[in-house]
Amino acid sequence: MSSPSREQWGSRAGFLFAAIGSAIGLGNIWRFPAVAYENGGGAFLLPYLVALLTAGIPLLVLEYSIGHKYRKSPPAAFRKLSRPAEVIGWWQVAICFVVAAYYAVIIAWAVRYIGYSFGEQWGSDANAFFFGDFLQAAETPGVMSSYVDGVLWPLIAVWAVVLVILALGIRNGIEKANKFFIPLLVLFFVVLVGRALTLDGAGEGLDSLFRPDWSALGDGSVWVAAYGQIFFSLSIGFGIMITYASYLRRRSDLTGSAMVAGFANSAFEILAGIGVFATLGFMAAAQGVGVDEVASSGIGLAFVAFPTVISQMPMGALFGVLFFASLVLAGLTSLISIVEVVIAAVQDRTGMRRVPAVLGVGGAVALVSILVFPTDSGIYLLDAADHFINQYGIALAALVVLVVVGWLLRRLPAFQKHANDVSSMRVGRWWLICLGIVTPLVLGWMMVDSLRAEFAENYEGYPTEFLLWAGWGVAAAALLVGVVLSLVPWRSADSEAAEKAGSEASTEVGAKTGPDSAVEAGAGTGSGSDAPEGGKN
């Protein structure tokens, strides 16, 4: 039996909302402000812009081109590029499985904190409330011993919403959800930033963030930090953008879409920086300390520092609702895109229909998430898994993609041609230089620098045995799963032939009805055949 026809976005705007929604996540709100603050303040914006133009947008164009050219999820797309490269695609799928399992938990926390904002229920010690009363965290990381109902039930609700949206499909589910969530997120955050700017001490907070330290530009670590921030904030390396681009129409402006998504993501990060540091400035003024003494990032910023601020400010409940609702919206749009990678891969692999794939595969991710993370050791498992899967999963997978596609298979010119054939804005030689030289070198240095830090001291001081299975073990398991899945035989020849026949018929119809056939022939998409292209050059 042939696989079902591939869904498509209803419009380019729908794709852009989804791509922007995937890029704008929790890290935009709680990571960028701290990274900028620690790396030169206003001066950091220069390496940040350079990183966006030389790594972020070029990588987006590459992932869009891979997905659009082959019209497949990452495993199938890389398989058509070269059979051994299929491992990369399944590796990315395994990474997405891990990330989705713990990412949903943070959204569940934010859901609970929307309610806690009314009456400021965290009391006078937000830190003790979060780790003690709310998470009921064990004193030391290790094996989970009890479930936390206050996290479990909102987590189940988060997964119910995500699976319903995914079951509705690309156009009626993901596209419509993002068209609603993203404008609402921007509205909430604009109101939140406007309120933050009226607080006493807001000016001092913004001055701390944007005061330029030009000497920082001579520090190589600042430039590496800029590339790292761009890389992790654009959802690159997951296979998300390959999957989303596979649902585009034949004639799609890939480079223009990459520019819009890249700059929209960065604009939101800067907006988030303004809101966060205006608020921290108020907190510093209220406590009579410097901004540097209250500046923080990540979970500590969202669930400890901000509740503390909310308790000290007028109309704190409204501010809290807006802030945590923004976290929920930003998290949902990203989580949907992450799970979609896993679902699309299984659909391409098995020919399974949409709803059974969502219930089976998405349900499996949800089950792991629900069984593992709403426990007394959940916070430690989440922290370790997040750190290691980001550094030695997502970033490393992206480096491998560039080495394989650019250096071993020498396919960058082919993807450049494909992007130029279907886009209004052409990419030139600079694109090849960025992806062939600049970005691999920066990612390689990031790996070396990160490994040096890992071996110097244990991450967060966690016990070595804990990190071996909850950190290193998780990252290694994702790679191992990718290798194993790539060795599993694909569908039968009859199924392959049926898919090929259907694709050829579709191409023939396209030749009779519009100009897309010329683009298709020139780009060599060949979506019907699984024959690898690695040897064509």
Side-chain angles (χ1 to χ4, degrees):
M1 183 180 69
S2 64
S3 60
S5 59
R6 196 164 196 81
E7 289 187 81
Q8 291 185 338
W9 301 106
S11 63
R12 183 190 178 208
F15 165 70
L16 283 173
F17 272 115
I20 293 169
S22 174
I24 295 177
L26 301 175
N28 297 68
I29 297 173
W30 69 37
R31 189 176 190 273
F32 170 78
V35 172
Y37 173 72
E38 294 166 0
N39 290 279
F44 178 76
L45 296 179
L46 177 59
Y48 177 81
L49 179 62
V50 171
L52 174 65
L53 295 176
T54 60
I57 291 175
L59 276 167
L60 280 178
V61 173
L62 176 61
E63 294 203 349
Y64 287 175
S65 298
I66 293 173
H68 184 258
K69 180 178 175 67
Y70 298 123
R71 308 186 71 75
K72 296 286 185 181
S73 61
F78 282 112
R79 175 184 172 87
K80 295 181 77 171
L81 180 63
S82 173
R83 288 189 187 276
E86 183 185 343
V87 173
I88 301 172
W90 285 115
W91 185 15
Q92 291 180 330
V93 170
I95 289 169
C96 284
F97 192 105
V98 173
V99 173
Y102 70 73
Y103 200 85
V105 183
I106 305 174
I107 302 172
W109 297 347
V111 170
R112 285 300 304 274
Y113 266 69
I114 292 175
Y116 289 153
S117 296
F118 295 100
E120 298 158 9
Q121 296 176 39
W122 43 77
S124 59
D125 190 342
N127 185 74
F129 176 84
F130 177 67
F131 290 100
D133 298 346
F134 178 53
L135 295 184
Q136 300 172 27
E139 292 186 8
T140 57
V143 180
M144 48 196 170
S145 60
S146 63
Y147 278 91
V148 181
D149 290 343
V151 178
L152 177 63
W153 294 113
L155 179 59
I156 292 174
V158 167
W159 277 113
V161 170
V162 169
L163 295 182
V164 167
I165 291 172
L166 288 168
L168 290 173
I170 301 304
R171 188 176 301 189
N172 293 322
I174 298 175
E175 181 171 339
K176 288 184 177 179
N178 278 283
K179 282 185 173 180
F180 175 73
F181 288 155
I182 296 303
L184 190 62
L185 170 63
V186 173
L187 174 63
F188 281 2
F189 226 81
V190 166
V191 174
L192 187 150
V193 170
R195 176 72 184 101
L197 291 174
T198 64
L199 297 172
D200 294 336
E204 287 73 13
L206 294 180
D207 184 61
S208 297
L209 174 62
F210 290 114
R211 183 192 304 120
D213 177 10
W214 298 111
S215 64
L217 298 181
D219 186 348
S221 65
V222 171
W223 291 82
V224 171
Y227 277 87
Q229 177 60 31
I230 284 293
F231 180 81
F232 289 119
S233 71
L234 281 176
S235 295
I236 301 168
F238 290 77
I240 293 173
M241 295 308 172
I242 294 176
T243 304
Y244 271 8
S246 73
Y247 301 123
L248 283 167
R249 300 175 187 273
R250 296 290 185 186
R251 170 68 71 175
S252 297
D253 187 357
L254 302 183
T255 56
S257 297
M259 295 286 285
V260 172
F263 280 104
N265 174 75
S266 294
F268 186 86
E269 285 196 318
I270 294 173
L271 179 66
I274 293 172
V276 167
F277 267 81
T279 307
L280 292 178
F282 166 79
M283 182 177 179
Q287 297 180 2
V289 298
V291 176
D292 60 319
E293 295 185 44
V294 297
S296 59
S297 63
I299 292 170
L301 172 69
F303 296 101
V304 176
F306 263 71
T308 302
V309 174
I310 292 166
S311 296
Q312 298 172 344
M313 66 187 296
M315 298 176 61
L318 175 61
F319 189 91
V321 168
L322 289 174
F323 177 73
F324 291 111
S326 296
L327 287 185
V328 171
L329 292 173
L332 282 175
T333 55
S334 294
L335 179 60
I336 288 167
S337 68
I338 296 168
V339 181
E340 174 61 23
V341 175
V342 188
I343 292 170
V346 171
Q347 283 192 281
D348 285 348
R349 169 68 176 79
T350 64
M352 191 182 294
R353 296 284 178 178
R354 180 79 186 180
V355 173
V358 170
L359 295 179
V361 182
V365 183
L367 183 62
V368 171
S369 177
I370 291 167
L371 289 177
V372 173
F373 291 102
T375 64
D376 56 348
S377 287
I379 180 65
Y380 303 116
L381 296 172
L382 186 155
D383 190 28
D386 176 62
H387 174 75
F388 282 88
I389 203 69
N390 270 281
Q391 294 295 335
Y392 311 110
I394 298 169
L396 184 57
L399 175 59
V400 171
V401 168
L402 291 175
V403 170
V404 171
V405 175
W407 296 1
L408 300 182
L409 300 178
R410 301 180 181 275
R411 297 294 293 167
L412 285 179
F415 289 117
Q416 178 192 30
K417 181 181 186 304
H418 180 77
N420 288 339
D421 283 344
V422 300
S423 304
S424 59
M425 183 184 302
R426 298 175 64 85
V427 292
R429 188 170 179 80
W430 66 271
W431 187 81
L432 297 175
I433 294 172
C434 289
L435 293 184
I437 301 174
V438 177
T439 307
L441 291 178
V442 172
L443 283 173
W445 177 252
M446 283 173 58
M447 289 296 103
V448 172
D449 193 51
S450 181
L451 285 170
R452 187 167 52 217
E454 300 302 349
F455 295 134
E457 59 179 320
N458 282 2
Y459 173 67
E460 292 295 329
Y462 291 145
T464 300
E465 52 275 18
F466 172 74
L467 292 180
L468 285 176
W469 66 268
W472 293 108
V474 169
L479 176 57
L480 180 61
V481 167
V483 172
V484 171
L485 290 177
S486 71
L487 297 176
V488 175
W490 279 67
R491 284 173 288 162
S492 66
D494 290 341
S495 181
E496 296 274 0
E499 182 182 348
K500 180 177 181 179
S503 178
E504 288 174 347
S506 175
T507 303
E508 184 178 347
V509 171
K512 294 177 181 179
T513 57
D516 288 351
S517 58
V519 174
E520 184 76 3
T525 56
S527 62
S529 171
D530 273 336
E533 296 189 353
K536 289 187 178 179
N537 279 353

